[in-house]
Amino acid sequence: MKIFNSIDSFHSDKKAIVTIGTFDGVHVGHQKIIERLVENARNRNAESAILTFFPHPRMVLQDQTEIRLLNTIDERTSLLEKKGLDNLIIHPFDKAFSRLTAEEFVKNILVDQLNIEKIVIGYDHRFGRNRTANIDDLIEFGEKYNFEVEQISAQEIQEASVSSTKIRTALEEGNIALANQFLGYSYFLTGVVQEGKQLGRTIGFPTANLKIVENYKLIPKEGVYIVESNLEGRKVYGMMNIGTNPTFDERLLSIEIHFLDFDADLYNQKIQISLLKYLRPEQKFESVALLKTQLEIDKNQTLQYVEKL
């Protein structure tokens, strides 16, 4: 897959089959569209291309927006790379770009720069200045500028009508099972392991302290999760706590993972943590001994869960 950091840098001698969107989460609904896109391109001897944007348009157009995204831009790129695409165009979204009229966008971007033969688009896609144009407008432009429009219906995407917003809500409520169902994979966090206060080590539960640089990345509901990661070439399971360590009177949010059957120095390494199951909310214990007892219960639950995988 070729990656382009702006529309201006894209070039292909072949016609393009294109889809457009932020694709936050690359969830099962997005995957339906991408599968159709890739299939179209192969059948027509054309190139498949996704036009996506970063920053997210809401970050640019809404003052003080607190939108949290399911993927960092690197995570989104990695997920899309697995889908058999020929081209990924990540265009910097700014206010000037947002002011393009629908026809300017179609003529200047899709037709002149992307050399579009066909666009494959979701049923609810809107575009152009203030997102005023819809699928009917796109079909009219297709007739005018000689490209096809294929619409993916809501039923085809999924009966439950998957959306990135629904997945964000599920994660914020700790409903990791529903979020993972909608995503089609386990939600994951990517970060660098940093040295913490090593409080877990003092009670027999050493942890890797995960630092996520991108402040727009959605961190799920505080609590304890069963997780997995690929470390040193093998799958490793563990328990992760998202919270403030109230038993130790901490204040700052931290993400700490205790890995089972793994003991190696991970400091300064970039790792990816997939969330499998939500175990319980974070709570303050009256003593460190009671916390340790609960962690043993969490560990046994994790081991039982892993045995069934």
Side-chain angles (χ1 to χ4, degrees), residues 122-183:
Y123 69 97
D124 57 351
H125 183 74
R126 303 190 72 87
F127 65 102
R129 187 184 300 165
N130 299 323
R131 300 181 76 243
T132 53
N134 60 23
I135 189 72
D136 295 326
D137 299 303
L138 192 57
I139 291 169
E140 283 188 22
F141 289 133
E143 292 171 354
K144 181 175 180 178
Y145 293 107
N146 195 31
F147 63 84
E148 291 180 46
V149 177
E150 181 175 347
Q151 180 184 6
I152 310 294
S153 70
Q155 288 74 25
E156 285 181 276
I157 290 177
Q158 198 181 52
E159 294 295 332
S161 188
V162 178
S163 72
S164 299
T165 300
K166 286 184 179 180
I167 297 169
R168 290 184 197 112
T169 300
L171 290 168
E172 287 164 351
E173 293 174 350
N175 194 344
I176 192 70
L178 181 62
N180 288 350
Q181 178 188 329
F182 282 167
L183 286 167

Side-chain angles (χ1 to χ4, degrees), residues 5 18 32 62-63 69-70 89 91 108 111 133 157 159 184 224 256 259 262:
N5 292 318
V18 177
K32 289 277 187 184
Q62 298 177 11
D63 291 338
L69 302 184
L70 301 172
I89 305 157
H91 189 72
N108 299 346
V111 176
I157 290 177
E159 294 295 332
V224 179
E256 296 176 282
F259 292 111
F262 181 82

Side-chain angles (χ1 to χ4, degrees), residues 21-293:
T22 52
F23 291 95
D24 186 33
V26 194
H27 57 60
V28 293
H30 294 145
Q31 291 168 35
K32 289 277 187 184
I33 296 171
I34 295 166
E35 286 166 12
R36 189 71 60 86
L37 175 79
V38 171
E39 180 186 3
N40 266 276
R42 286 175 181 162
N43 290 342
R44 291 166 172 253
N45 192 29
E47 292 209 359
S48 56
I50 282 184
L51 172 58
T52 190
F53 306 99
F54 189 78
H56 191 287
R58 281 172 60 185
M59 291 178 171
V60 176
L61 300 177
Q62 298 177 11
D63 291 338
Q64 298 178 327
T65 183
E66 293 187 1
I67 184 172
R68 292 292 177 261
L69 302 184
L70 301 172
N71 307 133
T72 67
I73 189 60
D74 288 341
E75 289 171 348
R76 194 194 320 171
T77 300
S78 177
L79 287 166
L80 290 171
E81 199 161 13
K82 298 171 183 175
K83 300 301 174 186
L85 289 162
D86 296 313
N87 304 286
L88 174 62
I89 305 157
I90 306 169
H91 189 72
F93 192 89
D94 56 23
K95 289 188 176 179
F97 187 84
S98 75
R99 287 192 283 268
L100 288 174
T101 66
E103 186 157 11
E104 285 171 339
F105 174 73
V106 169
K107 173 66 170 65
N108 299 346
I109 305 300
L110 298 184
V111 176
D112 292 346
Q113 293 188 264
L114 300 189
N115 195 23
I116 186 174
E117 177 174 310
K118 182 175 183 178
I119 185 166
V120 179
I121 212 73
Y123 69 97
D124 57 351
H125 183 74
R126 303 190 72 87
F127 65 102
R129 187 184 300 165
N130 299 323
R131 300 181 76 243
T132 53
N134 60 23
I135 189 72
D136 295 326
D137 299 303
L138 192 57
I139 291 169
E140 283 188 22
F141 289 133
E143 292 171 354
K144 181 175 180 178
Y145 293 107
N146 195 31
F147 63 84
E148 291 180 46
V149 177
E150 181 175 347
Q151 180 184 6
I152 310 294
S153 70
Q155 288 74 25
E156 285 181 276
I157 290 177
Q158 198 181 52
E159 294 295 332
S161 188
V162 178
S163 72
S164 299
T165 300
K166 286 184 179 180
I167 297 169
R168 290 184 197 112
T169 300
L171 290 168
E172 287 164 351
E173 293 174 350
N175 194 344
I176 192 70
L178 181 62
N180 288 350
Q181 178 188 329
F182 282 167
L183 286 167
Y185 60 88
S186 296
Y187 187 70
F188 60 90
L189 305 173
T190 309
V192 176
V193 177
Q194 293 192 335
E195 189 167 354
K197 295 187 177 180
Q198 300 187 339
L199 298 173
R201 191 172 296 278
T202 64
I203 56 172
F205 285 87
T207 60
N209 192 331
L210 193 70
K211 173 69 173 177
I212 297 175
V213 176
E214 298 86 354
N215 60 6
Y216 60 84
K217 169 76 175 182
L218 187 146
I219 307 301
K221 180 181 178 180
E222 293 181 19
V224 179
Y225 294 81
I226 297 174
V227 299
E228 72 175 17
S229 186
N230 194 296
L231 304 174
E232 298 186 349
R234 68 183 179 96
K235 189 175 288 187
V236 178
Y237 296 94
M239 357 189 294
M240 177 176 72
N241 184 74
I242 300 174
T244 57
N245 290 317
T247 304
F248 292 97
D249 292 323
E250 296 290 304
R251 293 290 183 268
L252 297 177
L253 186 77
S254 64
I255 302 171
E256 296 176 282
I257 307 102
H258 172 70
F259 292 111
L260 307 177
D261 190 29
F262 181 82
D263 184 20
D265 184 358
L266 295 174
Y267 287 138
N268 299 316
Q269 289 190 37
K270 190 173 187 177
I271 63 173
Q272 181 174 298
I273 305 294
S274 295
L275 284 65
L276 306 181
K277 181 179 174 63
Y278 181 79
L279 279 181
R280 63 173 177 85
E282 186 179 52
Q283 60 194 103
K284 180 170 183 175
F285 295 91
E286 294 303 314
S287 68
V288 173
L290 288 173
L291 168 62
K292 186 174 181 180
T293 299

